[in-house]
Amino acid sequence: MARTVLEAAPSMPALFARAAVTARGRGGDLPDTRLARTGVRVEAADLAAYDRVCAFPLADTLPATYPHMLTFPLQLALMSDRSFPLALPGLVHVRNRVEVLRPVRADEALDLEVWAERFARHPRGATVDLCASVSAGGGEVWRSRSTYLARGARAPEGAPDSDLSVSVGDLARPAATWRVPHDAGRRYARVSGDVNPIHLSGLTAKAFGFKRAIAHGMWAKARALAALSGRLPDAMVVDVVFRKPLFLPSTVTLATAPVDGGWDLAVRNEKSGADHLLGTVRPLP
Amino acid sequence: MAPQTRKAAIVGGNRIPFARSNSAYAQASNQDMLTATLDGLVARFGLQGRRVGEVVAGAVLKHSRDFNLTREAVLGSRLSAATPAYDVQQACGTGLEAAVLVANKIALGQIESGIAGGVDTTSDAPLAVGDDLRRALISLNNAKTVGDRLKALARIRPGSLVPEIPRNAEPRTGLAMGEHQAITAREWEISREAQDELTVRSHQNLAAAYERGFFDDLVTPYLGLTRDENLRPDTSVEKLAKLKPAFGGETGTMTAGNSTPLSDGASAVLLASDEWAAEHGLPVLAHLVDAQTAAVDYVHGGEGLLMAPAYAVPVLLARNGLTLQDFDYYEIHEAFASTVLATLKAWEDPAFCKERLGLDTPVGAVDRSKLNVNGSSLAAGHPFAATGGRIVASLAKQLHEAGPGKRGLISICAAGGQGVVAILES
């Protein structure tokens, strides 16, 4: 296993560009590289901007989804590297599982580590998990697993089947309606650095086969958690699957139901009822 | 129907450190700060998921979208979502008035517990569009034809686009609060030295209170602040003497030092019946005995804008059979050092007490060693609606520490020529 410690967060526009020009000719197995950063501090202004875009209250503990802002650039570096077997353009975020082992304070120094694992077979291609672990004060405080689908790709011989099952109960009653504006992707891109062209404008999205720009899945997840502020366990696992793309602009509904000390939740298109996001929040012991 | 009333208990309080304007809390909204403050109170008293009788709070500078500010903060907090809430606004009297409202419902047996609070930001200020632009936009919205729309648009001039910034000024007089107080300071001949001395004491008392851990169970750090940002433990009369007058012209006595700065912050106080506190294993620091408001005609009546507490206190004393000297502690909100000094002087002045208050003998003097013993707004800062909660919780704790049967007086002046005063007893 090769572990590389980066001094600073990599530049994401550069990574997206590198991933695009080196997309062809990829293959093979997952690299066993781990990328890490140590002593990372959350910038107060960055957190405030993120909170505003996702509707979190400005507080001294990080939203459950915030550490992803710190680990995603490292994961992108891993994925854009030539050693990564799948081409980044066309990868679709289909599942994200976050575990908050304890509330993380905004002023803690954080150690980050990311890696890829679980190259798996999917009926329409292959999936891969980008994992992250965040530690503070010597102990792990947060981890996440983002599953990406590469349509038409093939997992190696003997790979397991991919697991995209998150089941929710009956969520018939909407708790809230959100009007998601046409620039929701650009607004989230500004605070997250995730400048994937499919989120930025209709034109750039078309270039990648989408009829319009689509909202970031992690924005929808964050926005749903923000709606549950004050009603979430301190330690929890938040597991969501991303289904139909959320085209911009859209009007969507959030449905929630209390289950087992946590929540089931769904973000759906208001008109068609199509699921954009289904997920569960469960307390950790 | 409750056959008789009971005195509401003050169980404790929580606030975030107060920040100077456009500083540590520049990115925080009123709702952010009030929610954080409620959550701190919830954590301190084990109220997670619990329903309290009512949460009452307010903000002086409030955006129209925050019409239900307190209820929204409750919904975002760890309190039960089944906790009712409402907003109040009585300028700088908001926080104390909220506590009085909660205490009165507890006194009547309508609720068993309640939270009173307040919040203000002068950083995340609610800018409004100017009135010309506002009217033009309403016409535009109502326009049915293209011609009407163009007409409405034509009314918009570049100058209309300048937003209206909330000002700390009286709508009827156009004078800033400091300018009003400068008139009062001159009328009562309050010296610069006396104001600066009171200011230094406020800073020293607040610093000493922090040093002895007095605020450990009253304040929860927020966004990197652990103490009030305005606190200058090392300030001195000599340092303050160097400041130029900020109000009252070149010969004015009021400076940025002996006036409260614009501040951001929030506070909350938990009140309850004695029975509720006992059931939940929570302490009773003090009881809210009684309260009184007063207002003066500062526009045409020749009275100072911030002099209403001077009128409210004698009414409160008479109703409770007390004299001004029957108190162990006094909390007189330091909007300006000269406000405190003018109020004290008025109570000692036979002519004022006779002519304005209708009293044959003056209200009398206050033992200065009992005044604002843990510092007040000059040192802590003054996020308008948050000051009442800061004072109620601090005074209740001070009385509790001093032992049973101790009495404290709170006096808070407010914009619009109003005052809110109250008596606490341990």
Side-chain angles (χ1 to χ4, degrees):
Chain A
M1 182 190 81
R3 186 171 184 271
T4 307
V5 179
L6 304 184
E7 291 301 317
S11 154
M12 294 214 275
L15 292 176
F16 276 109
R18 182 172 75 179
V21 299
T22 62
R24 285 174 173 278
R26 289 184 179 232
D29 213 333
L30 290 178
D32 65 354
T33 319
R34 287 184 175 230
L35 294 182
R37 284 183 68 201
T38 56
V40 176
R41 297 280 179 178
V42 172
E43 292 291 331
D46 293 349
L47 177 60
Y50 177 84
D51 284 346
R52 206 170 290 135
V53 167
C54 302
F56 283 108
L58 189 56
D60 284 314
T61 48
L62 298 180
T65 43
Y66 192 80
H68 182 72
M69 296 300 98
L70 308 173
T71 55
F72 179 69
L74 299 182
Q75 294 176 333
L76 192 63
L78 210 61
M79 289 190 280
S80 60
D81 193 86
R82 280 180 191 276
S83 64
F84 195 75
L86 302 170
L88 186 66
L91 278 193
V92 186
H93 198 183
V94 288
R95 181 177 186 178
N96 177 269
R97 178 188 166 93
V98 158
E99 287 175 71
V100 181
L101 305 180
R102 67 154 169 86
V104 184
R105 286 198 322 276
D107 61 356
E108 291 187 86
L110 305 174
D111 296 335
L112 323 173
E113 187 166 282
V114 311
W115 65 96
E117 66 181 36
R118 273 191 72 89
F119 208 163
R121 300 193 309 188
H122 184 275
R124 282 182 290 155
T127 61
V128 60
D129 288 358
L130 270 293
C131 299
S133 169
V134 174
S135 301
E140 192 179 35
V141 293
W142 185 93
R143 47 180 176 244
S144 82
R145 177 179 291 273
S146 293
T147 305
Y148 292 89
L149 168 66
R151 286 201 189 88
R154 277 183 58 180
E157 281 303 309
D161 287 333
S162 71
D163 174 15
L164 298 179
S165 58
V166 170
S167 64
V168 298
D170 178 40
L171 286 162
R173 198 169 157 276
T177 299
W178 310 331
R179 282 175 192 82
V180 189
H182 65 97
D183 63 347
R186 289 194 292 278
R187 290 164 62 90
Y188 186 78
R190 261 200 295 278
V191 299
S192 67
D194 183 349
V195 292
N196 190 330
I198 61 173
H199 303 301
L200 300 184
S201 69
L203 212 60
T204 50
K206 274 199 187 83
F208 292 89
F210 292 97
K211 59 179 178 179
R212 279 183 285 156
I214 60 175
H216 294 77
M218 288 305 285
W219 172 82
K221 179 173 181 171
R223 181 72 187 79
L225 286 177
L228 291 165
S229 290
R231 316 259 168 268
L232 295 168
D234 278 343
M236 60 181 170
V237 50
V238 188
D239 199 358
V240 308
V241 286
F242 304 110
R243 294 278 171 82
K244 288 272 184 290
L246 200 171
F247 288 110
L248 299 173
S250 274
T251 301
V252 301
T253 61
L254 168 72
T256 59
V259 178
D260 296 341
W263 299 87
D264 281 358
L265 42 95
V267 177
R268 297 187 173 117
N269 190 277
E270 192 195 37
K271 276 204 200 106
S272 69
D275 295 330
H276 296 304
L277 175 157
L278 296 175
T280 60
V281 180
R282 294 292 182 269
L284 283 173
Chain B
M1 199 70 172
Q4 60 192 42
T5 62
R6 55 189 177 174
K7 283 169 189 160
I10 295 152
V11 173
N14 182 54
R15 68 178 178 95
I16 54 176
F18 293 167
R20 287 174 67 95
S21 193
N22 290 308
S23 177
Y25 303 162
Q27 303 287 336
S29 68
N30 276 335
Q31 197 177 316
D32 290 334
M33 291 192 284
L34 186 57
T35 305
T37 302
L38 287 175
D39 275 340
L41 193 75
V42 164
R44 184 159 294 145
F45 296 106
L47 301 176
Q48 185 161 344
R50 289 240 177 93
R51 185 169 66 84
V52 298
E54 221 157 47
V55 180
V56 185
V60 174
L61 295 178
K62 195 162 98 169
H63 198 285
S64 59
R65 69 172 171 241
D66 286 338
F67 62 95
N68 231 348
L69 172 68
T70 310
R71 174 64 181 148
E72 287 298 327
V74 166
L75 283 172
S77 79
R78 299 203 151 212
L79 287 167
S80 160
T83 301
Y86 64 93
D87 279 31
V88 291
Q89 206 276 46
Q90 197 175 29
C92 307
T94 302
L96 181 55
E97 188 65 89
V100 172
L101 292 168
V102 170
N104 285 352
K105 281 206 183 182
I106 291 169
L108 287 173
Q110 293 172 346
I111 54 176
E112 291 299 315
S113 63
I115 295 170
V119 57
D120 256 294
T121 169
T122 50
S123 306
D124 188 40
L127 298 190
V129 298
D131 218 41
D132 291 346
L133 179 58
R134 190 178 63 85
R135 285 172 201 282
L137 290 174
I138 290 171
S139 302
L140 181 65
N141 197 40
N142 293 337
K144 301 260 183 313
T145 67
V146 174
D148 287 348
R149 278 192 200 107
L150 288 175
K151 240 183 257 169
L153 281 171
R155 282 164 50 188
I156 300 173
R157 301 268 178 275
S160 320
L161 300 177
V162 178
E164 277 185 4
I165 297 161
R167 294 188 311 145
N168 191 1
E170 288 297 323
R172 278 173 194 279
T173 63
L175 288 186
M177 190 176 274
E179 292 300 336
H180 269 288
Q181 182 55 37
I183 298 168
T184 305
R186 191 166 293 139
E187 281 175 356
W188 284 98
E189 297 174 341
I190 308 297
S191 73
R192 167 80 182 262
E193 293 70 30
Q195 294 177 48
D196 287 350
E197 278 165 21
L198 187 92
T199 305
V200 169
R201 239 185 345 266
S202 184
H203 284 276
Q204 288 171 344
N205 287 350
L206 185 71
Y210 270 110
E211 286 308 313
R212 70 185 168 96
F214 181 74
F215 292 115
D216 287 356
D217 58 358
L218 291 172
V219 174
T220 306
Y222 183 57
L223 304 185
L225 271 195
T226 54
R227 288 186 178 193
D228 304 308
E229 205 174 10
N230 191 56
L231 173 59
R232 300 284 179 274
D234 58 347
T235 194
S236 64
V237 173
E238 293 71 37
K239 280 183 189 166
L240 288 172
K242 289 180 189 144
L243 296 174
K244 287 207 173 66
F247 303 107
E250 279 174 26
T251 59
T253 55
M254 292 167 55
T255 67
N258 60 39
S259 309
T260 50
L262 290 177
S263 335
D264 305 339
S267 67
V269 181
L270 177 62
L271 297 104
S273 66
D274 287 349
E275 298 75 27
W276 189 93
E279 270 168 36
H280 292 81
L282 294 173
V284 172
L285 301 181
H287 288 97
L288 200 154
V289 176
D290 198 2
Q292 179 69 39
T293 58
V296 296
D297 185 357
Y298 64 97
V299 186
H300 308 292
E303 187 49 272
L305 176 70
L306 301 180
M307 290 301 283
Y311 292 73
V313 165
V315 178
L316 184 67
L317 294 176
R319 186 162 65 232
N320 288 274
L322 296 169
T323 70
L324 186 60
Q325 292 69 40
D326 292 336
F327 292 86
D328 300 282
Y329 297 102
Y330 303 85
E331 284 285 344
I332 304 182
H333 160 52
E334 299 165 340
F336 303 90
S338 60
T339 313
V340 179
L341 295 168
T343 303
L344 294 175
K345 204 164 177 182
W347 284 332
E348 293 177 34
D349 184 64
F352 177 86
C353 290
K354 176 87 181 146
E355 289 157 25
R356 303 280 177 98
L357 305 179
L359 300 174
D360 291 330
T361 50
V363 180
V366 159
D367 179 348
R368 295 290 186 88
S369 69
K370 299 175 177 174
L371 175 66
N372 298 347
V373 295
N374 296 307
S376 187
S377 304
L378 285 168
H382 170 42
F384 311 118
T387 289
R390 171 184 70 74
I391 292 178
V392 170
S394 298
L395 178 60
K397 182 177 174 186
Q398 180 65 35
L399 291 168
H400 183 67
E401 281 187 353
K406 300 291 180 186
R407 206 177 282 130
L409 178 70
I410 301 174
S411 163
I412 296 180
C413 57
Q418 306 206 83
V420 191
V421 303
I423 297 173
L424 306 191
E425 200 174 282
S426 59

